[in-house]
Amino acid sequence: MAVSEQPKGDLSARSNAAVEARGLERRYGEGETAVDALRGIDLTVRSGELVAIMGPSGSGKSTLMHILAGLDKPTSGTVEVAGTEITGLDDAKLTRLRREHIGFVFQFFNLLPMLDAEENVTLPLSIAGEKPDRAWLDSLLEQMGLSDRRRHRPSELSGGQQQRVAIARSLVTRPTILFADEPTGNLDSKTGGEILELMRASTDAYGQTTVMVTHEARAASIADRILFLEDGLIVKELHGASQQDVLAVMNSLGT
Amino acid sequence: MISVALRGMMRRKLRTVLTAIAIVLGVALITGTYVLTDSIKGAFGGIFSQVYRGTDATVTGKSAFTLSGQSNQNAPPFAESLLPKVRSLPDVADAVGGVGGIAHLILGGTVVHFGGAPNLGFSVDPKRPELNSLTLVRGDWPGPDQIVIDQATGHKKHLSVGQTIGVQANGPTLQMKISGFVHFGGAASLGGATLSGFDLPTAQRLFQRIGKLDQIRAKAKAGVTPAKLAAEIRAILPPLTQVRTGQAQAKSDARGTESFLNFLQDFLLAFGGIALFVGSFVIANSLSITITQRTRELATLRTLGATRRQVRRSIVIEGLAIGALASVVGIGVGLGLGVGLFKLFDLVGFTLPNNGLVLHTRTIVVALVVGILVTVLASLRPAVRATRVPPIAAVREGSDLPPGRFAKFRPVGSALLTAVGFALLIYGLFAHGLGTKGILLSMGVGTLLIFIGVALLAARFARPLAWILGSPAARFGGAAGALARDNARRNPQRTASTASALMIGLALVTLVAVIAAGITKSFRGAVNDLWVSGYAITAQNNFDPIPIAAGNAAAKTPGVQAIANVRGGDAQILGGVHQATAVGPGGSQIFNMKWLDGGSNAVFTKLGAHGAFIDDGFAKSHHLTIGSPLILTAPTGKSVDLHVVGIFKPPTGGSPFGPVTISDQAWDKIYDTPMNIYSFVRMKGGETVADKAALEHQLKAFPNAKVQTKQQFIDNQISGLNAILNVLFVLLALSVVVSLFGIVNTLVLTVFERTREIGMLRAIGMTRWQTGMMILGESVITALMGGVIGIVLGLVLGGLLAVRIDFIVFALPWKQVIVFAIAAVIVGIVAAIFPARRAGKLNVLEALQYE
């Protein structure tokens, strides 16, 4: 495969961190009913790294991802994506950031039903008013095993195929960082396995930095690094862990 | 992004179609109006140029002043002696003189007429057919005491050459033999008008124009231009005559129909505008609902890097596309509507001249621009709403739209909007010195703001109102009824917006009903105040003038104690043109007038040759008192010196008298061929069957004269109003239909949105029937909400108008109000049929799994 371009983004200034978070706190509501979803999180995601965020429901893992991706704002703390501090950005600047640096993969795929597979994949480009690079697109679709599904609508695709389209869509802009929110949460275990392999492969093949939120041990086990959250704090970190290692930590955390 | 917007729209076909219908109907009415009026205009233009095809110049009478156009008054005739003078001019090849006017055909004692179309008669010159208005198609031109009739009437009444028919114009009925059948210009029919032609001496007798002419048509010698001919004729013209080229005369003749058609056009366009206004509510509402349902899709677009502006634009583009689509379809439907209207008019005997449908570029441009503009404007608010969808909604279940920056000002803002609307309306109604345009603009914009303001406010009281209106459903409808009420209350904004579209239609319908009831009540009051009892004689159509001979004949009926003939027409008085009237001394025994300044009914007998009585308004505005002098000039140029002998205060509902009334004898001296508008008769014994029969017997020679009791007179005079009222109701019904589609649309979208919930209800035992009843209940509650708010608003607006307008008193048309409320319920039921069926047909299993 000829393609192995590095993700874009001005990383020269800061070692090679794609995302850097410092002292993140997030409080929902006020007064007695207030909930502290994040209670002080420091985190660095290095370029080319696949990081999994795990934790029981209510641990704050989704909130963390939303804040890292600029979808939500922290009560205090800072987040830098591709060297830009994003917590103070307005909507227009955040939009621009998403266009250039961020890709998303969702639990429910979030494909546009009226567009076919290829159109869904190239949608971020057409939103940005750019033309797709045909060679890149072809290899991406090939990689995702969608070459013969280009003209199919989402309703004509299986769940696994839909998620492949979504992954291709997230990769087409070669984002600095890709956020995956429970990417296998809505798939059967066999299809989920295939999707995980694809995500691992894309990290390896394209050096794609990825942050994945999941509660599945198997999903987490493909990561280079796994962060365990509990009550809004990172309580454990594993490197290159196996599924058994993950399960052991999960059990110890009482998930 | 554009293709995303357009393809999303294509995917939601049903919703797009339902939304588009709201605009299609308005655009169709606009297109249909233009097509109809343009076609008729074109046809009339063609007819008149055909009529004058052989004529190079015409001479006609000219009024001493510009006529108001509100009476049956025509320019005065001129002396026949002008004809030989014109003929002897060097460049005149030939010339004919003619007279014309209203001529009723009488078959079996009754007047032949079709719809409200006029009955016209002309003189023709059998020796100079190229200078005739009529074209002979069968038989011969008429000799003395003979008549030619238009072929359409001939066909419809199965007339044949040689048959005898009665004709009545300005005198008693004459019997004539039909010599042939004709067209008017090239047209077989002139909107159901009956046309008749006579030789000149016969016509002069009929129209009481002995020794006089209404028109001369001249043909130029070869090589002489019409302009030169006209100039030559102009040099010998006596006063109160004018010359025009044939073409100019054709245009001038067409102008009368044209100004009516222009009015008809504006009138119909206004209703197209109202339908579009209602349609804009429907569009705004359904776009708004879809945006709620597309939250995740829009949020996904945002996470993929779409800016707020792109999201906003995609909604506006969707609006643009719906608008364009609807407008194009609307133009097609409008063409069909034009054809349909021609057929409809034909069916009721009012055959309009039709030389093919005329579709001007202007029609297409206006229809497209208006249709698209309204849709795009309506999409602006939903588009702004869509930009508030946060990207995070892509990953969250059921996240609500955050309120906009101005949300907290909304109640105050909408109340303010309503207040400004009322202020503008009241300013338009009561401020002095506004021109007609200023008044209409101020009132129109005011009403528009009121509607928008109330529609926005309605969301505030939608919950309590739905609770009250839904209580019968909740009480007697079981679980389905209770759920229906809860559903109607759960999204008050949506329920209120849906109801608002219907509100507008019902407010306008109620407003019209209030005004009509007010006019009727005040008219009835006026007749009862002014006139104790007896008989009135009018034309069969209630407004054409009737020959004086008819009044004179009626006066000779045994048992008549008094008769008051009222004549009327344009007059120039103190520099202005007014509708003056004349009455005889008999008025003193007929009318019950409210005289000011110590006057009494003796005024009627004191009018004489130089007396006049005036109404208090005229006295005030012209600073006149008893004894003040004034001069009244008739269109003939003749005038009479007058002094005021009485001042009266007309009742709210008006009186048969104009601002200035003189004696009938003075009137007849200065007006040409005077005629009566009404005759009021008082008979011994009041109103009896025998008296009426006696009057009718006496009027046998005047089939166009109608004898009526007071009650019949009131009903007949109001019947015109009722006809107008029905037309208004039909036209406003269109906007009600638009709002009906709005309800259908909301319900379909709601059912779609609640698929899973309905599946759950079905799973726990709700029957199809109950599901349907639940939707029906919600629909009826919504419709009733629109109905109630609309009716109340209509009553308020009507009340305001009644306060302002002199001849209207406030009257509550409670019967109609009840009918309107029932109509709202029916709208609700009809609107629910399709969505309720859809809800009932949902597959329980699939619905439960629906995501």
Side-chain angles (χ1 to χ4, degrees):
Chain A
M1 201 171 295
V3 190
S4 93
E5 292 170 47
Q6 280 301 306
K8 55 195 166 186
D10 178 19
L11 304 177
S12 52
R14 287 228 170 221
S15 63
N16 61 347
V19 178
E20 187 137 21
R22 290 287 163 258
L24 284 186
E25 290 182 12
R26 180 63 164 103
R27 166 175 290 212
Y28 290 110
E30 279 169 42
E32 284 181 18
T33 56
V35 176
D36 287 306
L38 301 180
R39 298 193 292 157
I41 288 198
D42 296 305
L43 163 74
T44 305
V45 179
R46 282 181 297 278
S47 186
E49 192 183 22
L50 198 167
V51 176
I53 301 174
M54 288 208 79
S57 49
S59 62
K61 59 182 191 298
S62 291
T63 305
L64 176 59
M65 193 206 86
H66 295 160
I67 290 175
L68 293 180
L71 295 177
D72 198 358
K73 288 195 193 299
T75 315
S76 67
T78 58
V79 177
E80 285 186 14
V81 173
T84 310
E85 154 62 35
I86 65 165
T87 52
L89 294 185
D90 63 14
D91 185 78
K93 293 209 175 89
L94 270 176
T95 303
R96 194 153 193 86
L97 179 93
R98 279 197 287 270
R99 252 188 212 183
E100 292 173 358
H101 296 294
I102 298 177
F104 285 101
V105 174
F106 304 97
Q107 181 178 2
F108 294 105
F109 325 138
N110 288 24
L111 298 180
L112 267 65
M114 59 283 200
L115 303 182
D116 66 26
E118 183 174 324
E119 288 165 333
N120 262 297
V121 170
T122 55
L123 184 59
L125 295 172
S126 38
I127 286 172
E130 290 166 18
K131 287 264 169 289
D133 170 351
R134 291 311 311 183
W136 168 231
L137 180 64
D138 290 345
S139 83
L140 200 54
L141 290 172
E142 169 82 42
Q143 170 89 355
M144 297 299 146
L146 292 168
S147 298
D148 56 345
R149 292 283 183 275
R150 287 171 178 244
R151 296 284 158 247
H152 288 61
R153 297 278 169 93
S155 56
E156 299 158 341
L157 297 172
S158 70
Q161 286 168 332
Q162 290 189 48
Q163 196 62 306
R164 288 159 192 261
V165 173
I167 292 171
R169 178 177 69 183
S170 72
L171 292 173
V172 77
T173 56
R174 302 181 179 97
T176 307
I177 182 155
L178 187 157
F179 290 101
D181 182 16
E182 303 272 12
T184 56
N186 204 34
L187 297 172
D188 63 58
S189 101
K190 180 172 172 287
T191 321
E194 287 164 18
I195 291 297
L196 291 172
E197 275 169 35
L198 268 179
M199 292 194 62
R200 183 67 246 178
S202 66
T203 305
D204 297 340
Y206 313 129
Q208 177 62 57
T209 317
T210 307
V211 172
M212 170 170 63
V213 169
T214 183
H215 64 271
E216 287 179 43
R218 184 175 58 143
S221 68
I222 66 161
D224 300 315
R225 192 152 60 100
I226 307 171
L227 303 175
F228 290 89
L229 256 71
E230 194 172 45
D231 295 332
L233 288 171
I234 297 177
V235 292
K236 181 99 184 155
E237 186 171 331
L238 292 181
H239 290 264
S242 71
Q243 206 168 328
Q244 281 70 29
D245 300 337
V246 179
L247 281 170
V249 174
M250 282 170 75
N251 283 332
S252 74
L253 293 175
T255 311
Chain B
M1 272 307 271
I2 292 178
S3 92
V4 171
L6 296 183
R7 289 164 70 175
M9 196 182 94
M10 291 311 292
R11 209 173 148 261
R12 298 181 289 273
K13 276 196 194 73
L14 177 65
R15 191 210 52 148
T16 305
V17 168
L18 283 172
T19 309
I21 287 174
I23 289 298
V24 167
L25 292 177
V27 171
L29 187 54
I30 287 180
T31 311
T33 300
Y34 276 130
V35 167
L36 180 76
T37 50
D38 288 344
S39 303
I40 301 173
K41 259 189 225 171
F44 269 113
I47 288 167
F48 284 113
S49 38
Q50 177 85 1
V51 162
Y52 288 101
R53 73 197 177 285
T55 305
D56 294 310
T58 61
V59 177
T60 54
K62 194 171 85 177
S63 310
F65 50 86
T66 310
L67 296 172
S68 68
Q70 285 167 359
S71 63
N72 287 302
Q73 202 104 50
N74 288 317
F78 50 88
E80 198 171 0
S81 56
L82 183 60
L83 182 60
K85 287 184 202 155
V86 170
R87 274 188 183 145
S88 63
L89 284 171
D91 284 338
V92 173
D94 204 352
V96 296
V99 296
I102 295 173
H104 303 287
L105 299 176
I106 290 149
L107 269 179
T110 59
V111 176
V112 176
H113 64 93
F114 305 105
N119 306 318
L120 306 172
F122 312 89
S123 67
V124 292
D125 191 329
K127 281 170 275 173
R128 298 177 177 86
E130 74 278 10
L131 290 175
N132 286 341
S133 300
L134 304 174
T135 318
L136 192 67
V137 290
R138 203 148 56 84
D140 291 311
W141 288 111
D145 289 325
Q146 289 186 343
I147 182 173
V148 285
I149 295 173
D150 70 284
Q151 206 175 17
T153 303
H155 276 310
K156 278 188 265 192
K157 290 289 165 187
H158 312 292
L159 302 174
S160 51
V161 172
Q163 192 178 338
T164 303
I165 191 167
V167 187
Q168 193 213 330
N170 297 13
T173 307
L174 302 178
Q175 295 299 321
M176 299 195 187
K177 208 170 92 178
I178 298 172
S179 70
F181 293 98
V182 290
H183 279 173
F184 185 75
S189 168
L190 203 61
T194 67
L195 305 170
S196 46
F198 318 92
D199 74 354
L200 184 61
T202 309
Q204 282 172 322
R205 248 183 322 126
L206 266 173
F207 296 111
Q208 303 194 331
R209 294 272 200 276
I210 309 278
K212 288 176 187 170
L213 294 175
D214 289 316
Q215 192 182 54
I216 293 174
R217 293 184 183 203
K219 199 172 148 64
K221 284 188 176 146
V224 179
T225 64
K228 182 160 184 289
L229 184 71
E232 201 172 302
I233 295 172
R234 189 168 296 120
I236 62 156
L237 284 184
L240 295 180
T241 54
Q242 58 192 338
V243 63
R244 291 190 180 102
T245 63
Q247 269 184 345
Q249 185 66 41
K251 264 193 202 139
S252 163
D253 282 11
R255 203 168 297 143
T257 30
E258 219 160 81
S259 67
F260 168 72
L261 286 169
N262 284 339
F263 169 75
L264 181 72
Q265 185 171 307
D266 290 347
F267 178 79
L268 291 173
L269 285 179
F271 288 92
I274 292 170
L276 279 174
F277 181 59
V278 173
S280 71
F281 274 69
V282 172
I283 286 169
N285 199 27
S286 32
L287 280 177
S288 228
I289 298 173
T290 2
I291 280 160
T292 312
Q293 291 171 358
R294 287 167 62 200
T295 302
R296 176 176 294 173
E297 184 182 313
L298 293 168
T300 302
L301 285 171
R302 296 278 282 127
T303 62
L304 298 179
T307 57
R308 285 192 167 161
R309 181 213 285 252
Q310 282 177 311
V311 168
R312 185 169 57 224
R313 212 164 46 192
S314 80
I315 306 295
V316 173
I317 283 169
E318 190 174 337
L320 194 79
I322 294 178
L325 183 84
S327 301
V328 170
V329 175
I331 290 171
V333 175
L335 276 172
L337 193 68
V339 177
L341 282 174
F342 271 113
K343 291 229 168 92
L344 182 75
F345 281 123
D346 198 20
L347 215 65
V348 298
F350 196 73
T351 310
L352 293 161
N354 184 356
N355 294 350
L357 289 187
V358 177
L359 182 64
H360 285 317
T361 320
R362 178 262 279 129
T363 308
I364 298 175
V365 171
V366 170
L368 279 177
V369 167
V370 171
I372 293 174
L373 203 67
V374 165
T375 323
V376 168
L377 283 177
S379 72
L380 287 184
R381 211 170 88 92
V384 169
R385 236 168 84 87
T387 64
R388 294 210 304 270
V389 171
I392 199 168
V395 291
R396 262 192 204 154
E397 263 305 319
S399 68
D400 281 327
L401 279 189
R405 268 173 294 173
F406 306 108
K408 57 178 173 236
F409 303 116
R410 204 184 133 119
V412 180
S414 37
L416 205 68
L417 205 63
T418 314
V420 170
F422 271 108
L424 266 175
L425 179 67
I426 289 169
Y427 177 75
L429 279 173
F430 294 98
H432 290 286
L434 289 176
T436 314
K437 263 200 181 139
I439 292 174
L440 286 179
L441 191 74
S442 174
M443 286 175 60
V445 173
T447 314
L448 216 67
L449 291 184
I450 292 172
F451 281 140
I452 298 173
V454 171
L456 291 174
L457 271 180
R460 292 276 126 192
F461 40 93
R463 267 163 184 273
L465 200 55
W467 196 86
I468 297 166
L469 294 173
S471 53
R475 180 130 172 67
F476 305 109
L483 280 171
R485 180 164 80 170
D486 293 341
N487 282 339
R489 299 179 68 222
R490 83 199 233 182
N491 194 335
Q493 180 110 36
R494 184 182 295 181
T495 310
S497 308
T498 310
S500 295
L502 183 60
M503 163 198 86
I504 297 170
L506 279 183
L508 292 174
V509 167
T510 309
L511 172 64
V512 168
V514 169
I515 293 174
I519 295 175
T520 306
K521 187 178 171 188
S522 61
F523 179 76
R524 200 176 289 276
V527 174
N528 284 327
D529 282 354
L530 275 176
W531 182 30
V532 185
S533 76
Y535 295 94
I537 301 165
T538 67
Q540 294 291 351
N541 67 5
N542 304 314
F543 56 83
D544 267 352
I546 38 177
I548 288 177
N552 294 342
K556 293 195 191 97
T557 312
V560 167
Q561 291 178 322
I563 182 163
N565 299 308
V566 179
R567 326 225 211 281
D570 281 349
Q572 196 174 34
I573 309 158
L574 297 172
V577 177
H578 300 275
Q579 287 272 300
T581 44
V583 66
S588 65
Q589 293 176 62
I590 305 269
F591 298 110
N592 210 347
M593 310 276 280
K594 196 170 174 189
W595 295 105
L596 304 177
D597 298 328
S600 73
N601 260 10
V603 167
F604 284 105
T605 54
K606 288 194 292 191
L607 287 174
H610 297 285
F613 67 77
I614 60 179
D615 70 26
D616 59 342
F618 191 80
K620 215 182 206 172
S621 58
H622 292 84
H623 310 291
L624 300 174
T625 53
I626 303 285
S628 296
L630 46 92
I631 297 172
L632 183 150
T633 308
T636 54
K638 293 179 194 163
S639 62
V640 57
D641 290 321
L642 300 166
H643 58 269
V644 177
V645 296
I647 299 172
F648 79 107
K649 186 175 167 50
T652 320
S655 79
F657 302 111
V660 176
T661 304
I662 62 175
S663 72
D664 49 3
Q665 57 177 95
W667 182 275
D668 294 356
K669 275 187 196 135
I670 58 170
Y671 277 82
D672 162 68
T673 49
M675 292 179 78
N676 291 328
I677 308 173
Y678 325 95
S679 298
F680 296 98
V681 187
R682 181 165 142 184
M683 299 190 74
K684 216 157 78 185
E687 291 175 3
T688 66
V689 179
D691 280 350
K692 191 173 180 203
L695 272 174
E696 274 167 355
H697 179 78
Q698 196 72 19
L699 288 169
K700 237 182 169 168
F702 303 94
N704 192 37
K706 182 164 64 175
V707 179
Q708 306 142 82
T709 61
K710 185 165 95 171
Q711 198 51 48
Q712 287 165 337
F713 174 72
I714 292 174
D715 292 342
N716 287 334
Q717 292 288 315
I718 293 173
S719 69
L721 179 70
N722 286 332
I724 294 171
L725 205 60
N726 289 334
V727 170
L728 287 173
F729 285 153
V730 167
L731 288 169
L732 286 171
L734 189 76
S735 50
V736 173
V737 170
V738 171
S739 55
L740 186 146
F741 280 106
I743 299 178
V744 175
N745 208 350
T746 304
L747 289 174
V748 167
L749 293 170
T750 304
V751 167
F752 180 67
E753 192 175 273
R754 297 185 194 145
T755 300
R756 214 193 289 193
E757 181 181 313
I758 292 168
M760 184 273 293
L761 289 170
R762 296 274 282 119
I764 62 171
M766 190 179 239
T767 61
R768 274 192 181 183
W769 171 254
Q770 282 174 311
T771 315
M773 289 315 280
M774 180 178 77
I775 307 289
L776 181 83
E778 184 177 352
S779 179
V780 170
I781 291 170
T782 308
L784 258 180
M785 190 183 296
V788 167
I789 301 175
I791 288 169
V792 169
L793 194 57
L795 291 176
V796 170
L797 293 177
L800 269 176
L801 280 176
V803 170
R804 174 64 182 88
I805 301 175
D806 297 338
F807 56 88
I808 301 180
V809 291
F810 182 76
L812 182 72
W814 59 272
K815 264 189 220 160
Q816 276 146 318
V817 165
I818 292 171
V819 171
F820 297 154
I822 294 171
V825 173
I826 293 173
V827 164
I829 293 172
V830 173
I833 293 173
F834 173 65
R837 283 173 64 104
R838 260 170 89 88
K841 276 193 200 148
L842 281 180
N843 179 307
V844 179
L845 198 62
E846 281 171 19
L848 278 174
Q849 287 167 343
Y850 183 84
E851 179 254 311

